Amino acid sequence: MTRPSRRAVLAVGVSAVLAGCADETSGRVGGVPSEPERITYGDDPSQWVDLHVPAGGASRGLVVVLHGGFWKAQYGADYGAPLAEDLVARGWTVANVEYRRVGNGGGFPATLDDVHTAIGAVAADAPGPVVTLGHSAGGHLATWAGARLRLARWADGPALTHVVSQAGVPDLRAAVADDLGDGAALAFLGDPDPDAATYEQADPLTQVPLDVPVWAVHARDDDTVPFSQAEAYVDAATAAGAEATLVEVTGGHFGVIDTDSDAWTACVEVLDSIG
């Protein structure tokens, strides 16, 4: 059953007031989290998750962090580590996922296999909400993960409860047409002329509506992944009866993963609304 249609645009600008009040509004809890536990979910050196557990063991839920980098091997999970450290201090259990990328055995469908398996490795017994949070290409993966259990190849595994895409790429056809990342989407798909079946398996826009809420947090001044990616997804999702929210921020492509930025504050506020 789909959720009621909803489309909201939240404008978040650069705010000196928020910056000055960061200590009061951070939401961080006491205690120093322990070092993350490294969990391997396959034999490849890129198949691992760093699991961060909040001090004291009480958790608001699980956030699965999926890093970006246009699915390319030269970009890794170090991009997700600061987000994991910030969120565990706020009381979340956080899984920072590494996966095979284009250039080291990844691409379609191997990268999707890894995301599915990694979620299964950390979320099977997770109490509370299970949220994917992904930046750029990781936003594609985070949104795709919300639909994966419908697809025969990935039908077994724990379900998500929420999705947060940060400057994500949920429209692969547009990414191919716009040549985002100098052909990165085609390289990920592994076919110079992907067919409809490939898009049905890999493209979040093709998979609307999801049965879980999606937030697309995106800056209009993003010059790497256009704001239109988020707009197109939210428009299509809400038209199909899904719950999808466009959260407009500033800060270009990387503000959403800068834990000192107002764009990151907007992401934290989304998570605060969940758990």
Side-chain angles (χ1 to χ4, degrees):
M1 183 174 67
T2 58
R3 297 174 181 269
S5 175
R6 178 165 66 98
R7 186 181 191 274
V9 179
L10 308 178
V12 181
V14 177
S15 171
V17 174
L18 273 178
C21 297
D23 289 340
E24 286 100 355
T25 61
S26 70
R28 296 184 183 180
V29 298
V32 178
S34 60
E35 289 296 311
E37 175 189 1
R38 175 66 57 90
I39 298 170
T40 58
Y41 60 87
D43 295 331
D44 191 272
S46 291
Q47 293 174 314
W48 54 264
V49 178
D50 277 350
L51 186 66
H52 301 248
V53 178
S59 174
R60 299 167 67 181
L62 173 67
V63 179
V64 178
V65 174
L66 297 161
H67 71 82
F70 277 127
W71 309 278
K72 296 178 181 179
Q74 59 261 47
Y75 304 103
D78 50 313
Y79 282 92
L83 311 189
E85 292 166 2
D86 185 89
L87 292 176
V88 73
R90 298 176 187 274
W92 292 93
T93 301
V94 187
N96 185 31
V97 176
E98 189 57 284
Y99 51 87
R100 291 172 292 172
R101 285 94 66 210
V102 175
N104 71 343
F108 175 81
T111 295
L112 304 182
D113 290 343
D114 283 4
V115 170
H116 174 68
T117 305
I119 292 172
V122 296
D125 299 314
V130 177
V131 186
T132 49
L133 173 79
H135 174 241
S136 193
H140 158 259
L141 298 173
T143 311
W144 169 86
R148 75 194 195 287
L149 299 182
R150 303 175 187 167
L151 306 168
R153 185 182 180 98
W154 304 285
D156 297 323
L160 304 182
T161 61
H162 305 80
V163 171
V164 183
S165 171
Q166 305 167 289
V169 189
D171 182 353
L172 289 187
R173 280 190 174 90
V176 169
D178 295 341
D179 196 33
L180 297 187
D182 295 324
L186 273 182
F188 167 73
L189 293 169
D191 189 334
D193 186 21
D195 59 19
T198 299
Y199 282 114
E200 287 170 5
Q201 294 281 304
D203 186 12
L205 190 64
T206 303
Q207 296 161 351
V208 298
L210 293 190
D211 295 326
V212 300
V214 177
W215 288 263
V217 186
H218 214 119
R220 197 174 288 276
D221 61 346
D222 189 331
D223 61 2
T224 303
V225 175
F227 187 74
S228 58
Q229 280 275 332
E231 284 187 309
Y233 181 84
V234 170
D235 286 346
T238 55
E243 185 175 352
T245 304
L246 179 61
V247 182
E248 183 178 344
V249 297
T250 59
H253 188 60
F254 295 99
V256 287
I257 59 169
D258 176 358
T259 57
D260 293 324
S261 74
D262 289 340
W264 174 246
T265 297
C267 297
V268 169
E269 288 173 352
V270 169
L271 292 172
D272 285 345
S273 74
I274 293 169

